[in-house]
Amino acid sequence: MLKEVARKYYLEKGCNCSESLLYAANEYYNMGLPEETLKIMGGFGGGMGCKTTCGALSGSIAALSCMFLQGKAHENPEIMEISGGFVKKFDKKLGDTLCSVLEARNKKPDVRCVLTVETAAETLEEYIAELKGEKKEAPASELTPEDIKRVKALGFLHNKGTDCFNGRIITRNGKVTGKELQKISEAADKFGSGEVVMTTRLTMEVKGIPYGNIEAFRAFLAEEGLETGGTGSKVRPVVACKGTTCQYGLCDTYDLSEKIHQRFFKGYADVKLPHKFKIAVGGCPNNCVKPDLNDFGIIGQRMMEYDPELCKGCKKCAVEKACPIHVASVKDGRLDVSTDCNHCGRCLGKCPFKAVTPGNYGYRVVIGGRWGKKTAIGQPLNKIFTSEEEVMSVLEKAVLLFREQGKTGERFADTIARLGFENVEKQLLGDEILARKDEIIGAQLHLAGGATC
């Protein structure tokens, strides 16, 4: 392979990046260029000495010119198409054409810019095969299971049967800025297939990233503060509905979920759990984001206050009519509201006699939901929480309990079923588990983890 010859010239024979490409092409394709001619590439290394156009790109263009140009360039305008086509491929494969950028990403103290040289050679060989109309067989995959596992931990999911991956980019609960979106689009074009997909967890995945492009892809995204991840047996990226920007929203889901993102997704990033732990924040009991199918779900609430003395027992009760789940009804001349009220707040302001008035905002917490090959509907704790800090505290206790008392490989729903809901609820509503926080986090538990996706 051309990249092996280029590597030899670069690492063993002391050539610079530009020389290595032309020397390697000369040997590999039996071009017969004399050594005096080859010297012409010496000054193009290091981006022509000023970190501009990459020397490996310059050496590749020189090789293409020697192979495909007959006579003068003005007499053979197709050479411009050939050169321009290769520059585009080089840019897509390496993510840039500037020496300064590629050096910052790829240069290592022991092997210098060998990754750039090898990738350029590989791209050049593929391009020459295309120009010659040769059907170049894809090389057998050199990836090992360890390679695939290593990059999965960085948020790269293997595309079966290929050496390519989907790169998962973390969003803040589905939110990205215009500049971030532009960066993701550019990254998809430069390093992947050009396609971006959304996941069910509101992260974004760039499709078709070759294994060799992964580090350059991550470095390119980092320039806009973006990161990859969201896999493994730990707290996963939180999802949220649009909350108070919706007519039914009862809590600011974006604000709360961003706090959860910082405190638990990022703050607990190195804490291994028995399995993945998913969190969802819903703004109201409509449950669009399905909080009760997550390991930990939060549902916005608006409690009503009911004064039966003010109720007139109207035959056509406005509160009864407004109740979407039909738990409010007039019985024996008075409004009756069952304990099954889900605190959606839709009845508030409906009674003309003010028998029903707004109470506190709050949060219902459900635990142990899951979706997949096995499903479970989360069970609500027997308390409506009235502050964000209470919810954050219960969430932290749930994560700590799962780490301490869960068995490797089981989901939180299984842990709750094994320990008993009442037992788990008692621990979550108490504070004893927080006293063991440092001990629980520091314990050598779940070193292998149980998440497979």
Side-chain angles (χ1 to χ4, degrees):
M1 296 175 67
L2 180 61
K3 81 171 186 178
E4 294 171 354
V5 183
R7 180 185 177 90
K8 174 186 72 175
Y9 276 103
Y10 189 70
L11 291 184
E12 297 175 21
K13 299 199 172 186
C15 291
N16 69 22
C17 51
S18 184
E19 291 171 327
S20 296
L21 265 295
L22 187 57
Y23 274 70
N26 185 51
E27 178 181 321
Y28 190 73
Y29 292 107
N30 297 311
M31 293 163 61
L33 298 175
E35 190 163 346
E36 286 301 312
T37 300
L38 294 170
K39 285 182 181 180
I40 198 171
M41 296 314 302
F44 288 86
M48 291 177 277
C50 55
K51 309 300 180 187
T52 54
T53 302
C54 172
L57 175 57
S58 299
S60 299
I61 295 295
L64 289 169
S65 297
C66 290
M67 292 181 72
F68 294 99
L69 178 60
Q70 302 293 325
K72 298 181 178 67
H74 287 305
E75 297 169 357
N76 296 270
E78 65 274 9
I79 194 63
M80 294 296 101
E81 286 186 32
I82 290 173
S83 296
F86 182 75
V87 172
K88 289 178 182 177
K89 282 186 175 290
F90 184 97
D91 188 26
K92 181 176 177 64
K93 200 73 172 281
L94 284 116
D96 216 295
T97 60
L98 288 177
C99 170
S100 56
V101 175
L102 296 176
E103 189 176 86
R105 289 179 188 161
N106 299 334
K107 189 172 185 179
K108 308 293 181 189
D110 51 344
V111 293
R112 298 177 290 147
C113 293
V114 70
L115 177 61
T116 298
V117 168
E118 289 182 333
T119 307
E122 192 173 57
T123 307
L124 179 60
E125 185 177 2
E126 292 170 359
Y127 189 59
I128 289 171
E130 289 177 22
L131 293 173
K132 289 184 173 182
E134 299 171 357
K135 184 174 175 60
K136 182 173 170 54
E137 291 187 13
S141 175
E142 298 176 358
L143 297 182
T144 66
E146 290 73 25
D147 292 330
I148 294 171
K149 183 177 180 181
R150 180 186 70 81
V151 297
K152 182 180 179 182
L154 299 174
F156 293 84
L157 293 306
H158 189 219
N159 298 165
K160 186 170 64 175
T162 74
D163 281 357
C164 292
F165 296 76
N166 276 22
R168 183 173 293 175
I169 303 163
I170 302 303
T171 68
R172 294 170 301 281
N173 326 315
K175 287 194 300 183
V176 289
T177 66
K179 287 185 177 180
E180 289 170 341
L181 197 59
Q182 184 177 4
K183 195 72 171 179
I184 292 168
S185 175
E186 291 175 5
D189 287 335
K190 285 179 177 290
F191 303 101
S193 68
E195 295 181 308
V196 183
V197 297
M198 292 295 297
T199 73
T200 57
R201 301 295 297 176
L202 302 182
T203 58
M204 305 182 80
E205 288 187 6
V206 171
K207 296 175 64 177
I209 303 169
Y211 180 80
N213 283 3
I214 286 176
E215 291 306 321
F217 174 79
R218 296 181 72 223
F220 183 78
L221 290 175
E223 293 169 2
E224 195 57 50
L226 292 162
E227 59 183 332
T228 62
T231 58
S233 297
K234 49 187 170 182
V235 175
R236 294 292 184 88
V238 62
V239 299
C241 72
K242 57 186 182 178
T244 48
T245 63
C246 170
Q247 62 178 321
Y248 301 118
L250 301 173
C251 69
D252 189 341
T253 56
Y254 281 143
D255 181 67
L256 177 55
S257 57
E258 286 202 27
K259 291 172 182 173
I260 292 172
H261 178 85
Q262 291 298 326
R263 184 163 162 183
F264 295 101
F265 174 71
K266 295 183 79 69
Y268 275 67
D270 297 324
V271 178
K272 287 288 190 72
L273 300 176
H275 211 293
K276 56 192 171 188
F277 191 89
K278 295 182 174 181
I279 304 165
V281 183
C284 78
N286 281 347
N287 289 343
C288 298
V289 77
K290 304 177 182 64
D292 53 0
L293 293 179
N294 283 255
D295 298 281
F296 192 96
I298 301 165
I299 304 168
Q301 305 277 279
R302 185 70 191 274
M303 278 70 78
M304 58 176 275
E305 292 186 355
Y306 172 49
D307 185 347
E309 296 300 319
L310 296 176
C311 177
K312 306 300 183 183
C314 301
K315 289 184 179 181
K316 290 187 178 180
C317 175
V319 173
E320 180 179 358
K321 184 179 178 181
C323 180
I325 59 172
H326 311 297
V327 299
S329 60
V330 177
K331 295 178 181 177
D332 301 323
R334 284 288 184 272
L335 177 66
D336 178 73
V337 180
S338 87
T339 55
D340 293 329
C341 174
N342 65 5
H343 307 298
C344 69
R346 301 279 287 279
C347 64
L348 299 177
K350 304 299 183 188
C351 177
F353 305 104
K354 302 193 184 324
V356 174
T357 54
N360 291 327
Y361 286 99
Y363 308 89
R364 184 184 295 278
V365 167
V366 293
I367 59 172
R370 64 183 296 182
W371 189 256
K373 294 183 289 294
K374 293 173 65 177
T375 61
I377 303 297
Q379 301 179 71
L381 299 181
N382 291 305
K383 178 181 178 180
I384 303 296
F385 300 92
T386 56
S387 73
E388 284 186 358
E389 194 46 50
E390 281 185 299
V391 174
M392 299 287 268
S393 177
V394 171
L395 174 52
E396 184 158 39
K397 285 181 273 190
V399 174
L400 292 172
L401 184 148
F402 187 38
R403 174 168 167 78
E404 179 187 53
Q405 299 170 39
K407 293 182 178 180
T408 301
E410 73 178 4
R411 290 291 296 273
F412 193 38
D414 301 320
T415 303
I416 293 169
R418 180 169 52 79
L419 299 177
F421 178 79
E422 293 76 12
N423 176 3
V424 172
E425 181 180 50
K426 182 179 179 181
Q427 293 189 67
L428 297 187
L429 296 181
D431 290 327
E432 194 273 334
I433 199 166
L434 287 176
R436 302 196 307 278
K437 176 178 175 179
D438 292 342
E439 174 188 341
I440 293 169
I441 290 178
Q444 295 295 300
L445 296 169
H446 319 299
L447 301 181
T452 57
C453 62

